[in-house]
Amino acid sequence: MDKLASLKSFVRVVEEGSFASAARAIGQSRSQVNRAVAALEDDLGVQLLNRTTRKVSVTPSGQAFYQRAKAILSDLGDAEDSIREHRDHPSGDIRINAPMSFGTLHLGPALVDFARTYPDIRVELSLDDHFIDPVADGFDMTVRISRPTETLALIDHKIVPMRRVLCASPEFTRTHGEPDDIRDLARLPCLHYGNLPSGARWKMTGPDGPVAVQVNGVFCCNNAEVLRDAALAGLGIAELPTFIAGPELQTGRLVSVLCDYAPGPLSLYLLYPPSRQLAVRVRLLVEFIQDRFGDQPRWDLVQ
């Protein structure tokens, strides 16, 4: 039995969800893939997959073995990359996870440029606003806008602070008046982000220190681009990151309010397992993102 080939077949079946799809992805016949996985199960003495006429599912032992097998294959790829480090054309796969809005507005275009620069590196981008564990979910890197993490399982690489501002449309401030006290948020219409544990309770730092206020939430969404559009329509005051609201703040379609108050600090982080640190493709991507978004990002150039 070619154990390496069997590992690759098993991992692909788990990821594809069927022997037929795995066989097409690998470029082998279904029977070859089936024999490779069966040989692996015989060698280990455990059942890795449940097979029915309709679908394939992973057993508990198979799930645990999948995580280790995936890590082994990834480490092997990293080792191959390190040998190729001095080649003119670095290659390999890199799987990246990122939040939806930042991914579509900024990271996606950056990765297009990265792929053009390094055509032999195959990029797979997955967008999801929920936290993804790079180790458990098989990603080489996770891009997150958050506070610092404290885990020995991941390298935490800070790129740049991510500002948030309170803002509204000029029409809204003309109609409702511009707030001059943080407590005004309890009566004025506000637009709040639906995924925050604090809900419609906004926490900020002002001239007298930290403050929290229960805002008058008239519109709630778990996507900040929708909240930006609602603010542009004059529905209320929104707490928005400048990577989303920057263009509108620059053109005056949105205006900052209560400028003496700032939401809690967040930063753009790259999270990746220590085993990926020496992979050439990961180092190149970290440097590329640092060059692209570090220092003063263009979305913060508000006049």
Side-chain angles (χ1 to χ4, degrees), residues 10 44 46-49 58-67:
F10 168 69
L44 295 172
V46 296
Q47 184 176 353
L48 301 174
L49 300 172
V58 188
T59 66
S61 295
Q63 184 61 43
F65 188 72
Y66 165 75
Q67 299 296 343

Side-chain angles (χ1 to χ4, degrees), residues 78-227:
D78 293 343
E80 292 172 343
D81 278 349
S82 66
I83 296 298
R84 303 185 186 109
E85 184 168 359
H86 299 292
R87 287 176 48 182
D88 293 334
H89 303 289
S91 62
D93 298 336
I94 185 162
R95 299 186 69 226
I96 310 153
N97 175 265
M100 186 70 66
S101 292
F102 184 78
T104 56
L105 292 173
H106 301 287
L107 184 64
L111 290 178
V112 169
D113 291 342
F114 179 81
R116 262 200 300 254
T117 304
Y118 302 103
D120 292 327
I121 297 179
R122 294 178 296 276
V123 176
E124 179 184 335
L125 174 63
S126 174
L127 300 179
D128 192 320
D129 285 331
H130 294 91
F131 179 79
I132 298 295
D133 183 341
V135 177
D137 293 282
F139 287 96
D140 297 289
M141 180 184 296
T142 293
V143 180
R144 277 292 169 259
I145 299 169
S146 64
R147 293 177 177 84
T149 60
E150 295 182 0
T151 171
L152 297 177
L154 299 174
I155 292 175
D156 190 332
H157 187 107
K158 180 178 176 180
I159 298 296
V160 68
M162 302 291 271
R163 289 199 315 120
R164 290 177 292 165
V165 297
L166 299 176
C167 58
S169 70
E171 175 192 1
F172 178 88
T173 59
R174 285 193 297 268
T175 302
H176 296 272
E178 185 172 340
D180 54 17
D181 189 290
I182 193 67
R183 289 170 292 189
D184 290 340
L185 298 179
R187 63 174 181 82
L188 291 172
C190 292
L191 320 170
H192 66 95
Y193 188 68
N195 272 352
L196 292 179
S198 56
R201 187 173 179 83
W202 291 359
K203 298 179 180 179
M204 284 159 283
T205 300
D208 299 321
V211 61
V213 59
Q214 187 73 25
V215 303
N216 177 25
V218 300
F219 189 92
C220 173
C221 184
N222 64 348
N223 180 273
E225 291 174 88
V226 173
L227 296 180

